[in-house]
Amino acid sequence: MEMTQPLASFDPHVIERPLTTVDVVIFTVLEQRLHVLLVLRPDTPEEPFKGMRALPGGFVDMQKDDDLEGCARRKLQQKTGVRSPYLEQVGSWGGIKRDPRGWSATHVYFALLPATESPEDGTPSSDAKWFPIENQRVSVKLAFDHAKLLEAAIQRLRNKVEYTSLPAYLLPEEFTLSDLQHMYEVVLERSIEKSAFRTRVFAANLVEPIDKVRAGPNRPAQLYRLSQPKEIVYFPRTFSPRKI
Amino acid sequence: MEMTQPLASFDPHVIERPLTTVDVVIFTVLEQRLHVLLVLRPDTPEEPFKGMRALPGGFVDMQKDDDLEGCARRKLQQKTGVRSPYLEQVGSWGGIKRDPRGWSATHVYFALLPATESPEDGTPSSDAKWFPIENQRVSVKLAFDHAKLLEAAIQRLRNKVEYTSLPAYLLPEEFTLSDLQHMYEVVLERSIEKSAFRTRVFAANLVEPIDKVRAGPNRPAQLYRLSQPKEIVYFPRTFSPRKI
DNA sequence: CTAAGTTAGTTGCACAGTATCACTAATTGA
DNA sequence: TCAATTAGTGATACTGTGCAACTAACTTAG
């Protein structure tokens, strides 16, 4: 670690430090569409982007937060009440231009919530609302560089959905294969072949059947749960030798 | 953005801010092995982890650095002299425990250098040295949580190599297909089928032939360059419909 | 000049996974 | 009882890769 002024390297307390925040992109699927939770910026004259929509987030609290992920979980619980959804870091963005109050760095996470757990239409913290995502964007204008952050999160989600079990985290514990396929289709915004999907899901050992079916006005569907609830499953990739 | 003390939300200058650093994991391939550039921690009593090896990096300079990536490029050039190699963010790690001087957040990037551009065996800044990577690790003990950061960078690299053109950035502008295949094999630490590799590379339109061959003690090899030198190419994934 | 050695590059076939599509199964409600 | 609807299966074609044997083009040793 090199420093311009020698002093700085001796006493890190005098080093200028950026404003440090965490923002969380919270996804859920409502009404056949991917939605993201957005909050209202406070409407005080001191706050930048007052009254606009923004990603839930805020300054790291060096007393409360042991680490960045803890900070993200805290903000997530404040806004949704949900404790342990799927949470993954997207990356960090920092620079002089992104916040009028000065050099700042934000750490972006995305979370996946089952619609059943996502605060019922309205939300616990009243300033938060679900917005549908249409071609990588949301219809309202966002504060700071949050449009860019949101786009990156969507990109990451879409990308990863192609070869992982991520969409399963958008469902409650018990679900049918059609439910699961539907989540893939909603996130990827394209239809998937039923037969290929099923063989793939079984081959990856993604789910296991439970002793229940879902009844309805037509043929009942077998219910499943995740085989490894805590781990995401990767579908086979390429460049893999046939013999192990 | 919510605050504990109302004051804080009005004057961000009084908000406690973490120490903010950028660390760069610089990869190259030397002698058939993946190597990473490590520097020596200064040997002054004021610095933590004195005399140990660490990833090149250091505090963000809010005067010099417009943004995090700029900071990473600056540090990269200081240590290697190289201006525009492949550079990608791995993620950020922040918390109370990772630096004895207090709450800190680091932003980790990885860079890929052609062996030809990587400072000749020795290095410009004399405290930096190349270390070979053996099963996700380096043989020396690293300062801070840099072992973890390095592992994450290696993981990301390995993962992405499976389905992208990344290893091409470990080669000079002109290379043979055998060179390219060799880079894949070194990074993935396994051999790849020549024929399948070639059809894959051509199908993805990764390279284009130039009007030169490399002579040698045996059959001369066609030289190629990247088709899209500025973009990484993704190999086809799954869940893709056959008809477009 | 030729044969051996070496690396570059091609070809053909086997095999696995998935796309596509047509089919069967199980329920409700008219 | 039949139409409608969704669940689930099966058969086949296609595509990309694994694998192995082949041909090609050069250098060097004799």
Side-chain angles (χ1 to χ4, degrees):
Chain A
M1 303 196 178
E2 93 337 307
M3 285 293 107
T4 313
Q5 299 101 350
L7 181 60
S9 71
F10 296 138
D11 185 0
H13 296 288
V14 304
I15 292 175
E16 276 195 288
R17 308 170 182 207
L19 287 165
T20 303
T21 58
V22 166
D23 293 308
V24 189
V25 182
I26 306 170
F27 290 116
T28 200
V29 170
L30 299 172
E31 295 150 13
Q32 330 268 37
R33 285 259 281 292
L34 193 61
H35 283 65
V36 63
L37 194 69
L38 297 176
V39 298
L40 225 38
R41 295 280 305 163
D43 202 359
T44 60
E46 297 85 358
E47 292 278 357
F49 300 100
K50 39 181 174 291
M52 285 178 81
R53 286 284 166 183
L55 296 170
F59 295 110
V60 167
D61 185 323
M62 289 165 62
Q63 270 73 51
K64 284 190 202 161
D65 301 320
D66 281 351
D67 54 28
L68 289 172
E69 188 176 315
C71 179
R73 288 197 182 279
R74 182 171 58 84
K75 294 184 183 304
L76 190 77
Q77 216 198 331
Q78 278 171 4
K79 292 297 167 194
T80 67
V82 177
R83 276 199 193 173
S84 59
Y86 182 81
L87 187 67
E88 169 179 331
Q89 197 191 75
V90 178
S92 55
W93 280 259
I96 180 65
K97 284 197 256 183
R98 50 180 307 280
D99 190 314
R101 294 166 294 188
W103 224 107
S104 71
T106 192
H107 305 83
V108 181
Y109 286 76
F110 82 84
L112 300 180
L113 253 59
T116 47
E117 290 200 44
S118 61
E120 25 72 42
D121 267 275
T123 46
S125 69
S126 55
D127 61 340
K129 232 185 94 183
W130 292 108
F131 287 79
I133 288 165
E134 304 190 64
N135 36 309
Q136 310 267 80
R137 287 240 161 52
V138 89
S139 63
V140 287
K141 208 165 180 190
L142 297 187
F144 304 101
D145 53 358
H146 285 191
K148 186 169 69 182
L149 309 186
L150 173 60
E151 202 181 337
I154 296 170
Q155 195 84 45
R156 167 76 65 91
L157 174 63
R158 286 250 168 86
N159 230 328
K160 213 154 172 179
V161 161
E162 296 275 359
Y163 59 94
T164 68
S165 61
L166 275 195
Y169 296 94
L170 292 165
L171 290 170
E173 244 188 75
E174 302 179 351
F175 51 85
T176 69
L177 282 190
S178 299
D179 290 343
L180 186 58
Q181 182 177 345
H182 188 233
M183 288 299 121
Y184 276 87
E185 292 176 331
V186 165
V187 176
L188 295 176
E189 283 187 340
R190 72 163 188 266
S191 60
I192 292 176
E193 257 304 307
K194 183 169 52 162
S195 173
F197 178 77
R198 296 171 91 92
T199 43
R200 234 182 106 121
V201 166
F202 290 134
N205 192 32
L206 203 156
V207 297
E208 56 190 25
I210 61 174
D211 210 25
K212 274 198 248 177
V213 291
R214 175 179 305 160
N218 38 42
R219 177 173 173 172
Q222 176 64 48
L223 282 166
Y224 293 86
R225 66 170 164 228
L226 287 177
S227 303
Q228 291 98 13
K230 292 295 171 193
E231 287 173 51
I232 78 174
V233 175
Y234 289 78
F235 293 109
R237 297 283 192 80
T238 42
F239 276 145
S240 23
R242 196 163 287 165
K243 293 170 190 167
I244 314 162
Chain B
M1 303 197 180
E2 82 356 293
M3 285 295 105
T4 313
Q5 300 99 349
L7 182 59
S9 71
F10 297 137
D11 185 359
H13 296 289
V14 305
I15 290 175
E16 276 196 289
R17 309 170 183 207
L19 288 164
T20 303
T21 58
V22 166
D23 293 308
V24 190
V25 183
I26 307 171
F27 291 115
T28 199
V29 171
L30 298 172
E31 294 150 12
Q32 331 266 37
R33 285 258 281 293
L34 192 63
H35 283 65
V36 63
L37 194 70
L38 297 176
V39 298
L40 224 38
R41 295 280 306 162
D43 201 358
T44 61
E46 296 85 359
E47 293 277 358
F49 301 100
K50 41 182 173 290
M52 285 178 81
R53 287 284 166 184
L55 296 170
F59 295 110
V60 167
D61 185 324
M62 290 166 60
Q63 271 73 51
K64 284 190 201 160
D65 301 320
D66 280 352
D67 54 29
L68 289 172
E69 188 176 314
C71 179
R73 289 197 181 279
R74 181 170 61 81
K75 297 186 181 301
L76 191 79
Q77 215 197 334
Q78 279 171 3
K79 292 296 167 196
T80 67
V82 177
R83 277 199 192 170
S84 59
Y86 181 81
L87 187 67
E88 169 177 331
Q89 196 191 77
V90 179
S92 55
W93 280 259
I96 179 65
K97 283 197 260 183
R98 49 180 308 279
D99 190 315
R101 294 167 295 189
W103 224 107
S104 71
T106 192
H107 305 83
V108 181
Y109 286 77
F110 82 84
L112 300 179
L113 254 59
T116 47
E117 291 199 43
S118 61
E120 25 72 42
D121 268 274
T123 44
S125 69
S126 55
D127 63 338
K129 233 185 93 181
W130 292 108
F131 287 79
I133 288 165
E134 304 190 64
N135 36 309
Q136 311 267 80
R137 288 241 159 52
V138 91
S139 62
V140 288
K141 206 164 181 189
L142 297 186
F144 304 100
D145 52 358
H146 286 191
K148 185 169 70 183
L149 310 186
L150 173 60
E151 202 182 336
I154 295 170
Q155 195 85 45
R156 166 77 65 92
L157 175 64
R158 285 250 168 85
N159 229 329
K160 214 156 171 178
V161 161
E162 297 274 359
Y163 59 95
T164 68
S165 60
L166 275 194
Y169 296 95
L170 293 165
L171 290 170
E173 243 188 77
E174 303 179 351
F175 50 85
T176 69
L177 281 190
S178 299
D179 291 342
L180 186 58
Q181 183 177 342
H182 188 233
M183 288 299 120
Y184 277 87
E185 291 176 332
V186 165
V187 176
L188 295 176
E189 281 186 341
R190 72 165 189 264
S191 59
I192 292 175
E193 257 304 306
K194 182 168 54 165
S195 171
F197 179 77
R198 296 171 91 92
T199 42
R200 234 182 107 118
V201 166
F202 289 135
N205 192 32
L206 203 156
V207 297
E208 56 190 24
I210 60 174
D211 208 24
K212 274 199 248 178
V213 291
R214 175 180 305 160
N218 38 41
R219 178 172 173 172
Q222 176 66 48
L223 282 166
Y224 294 85
R225 68 171 164 229
L226 288 177
S227 303
Q228 292 97 13
K230 293 294 170 194
E231 286 173 51
I232 79 173
V233 176
Y234 289 78
F235 292 109
R237 296 286 192 79
T238 42
F239 277 145
S240 21
R242 198 162 283 164
K243 294 171 189 166
I244 314 162

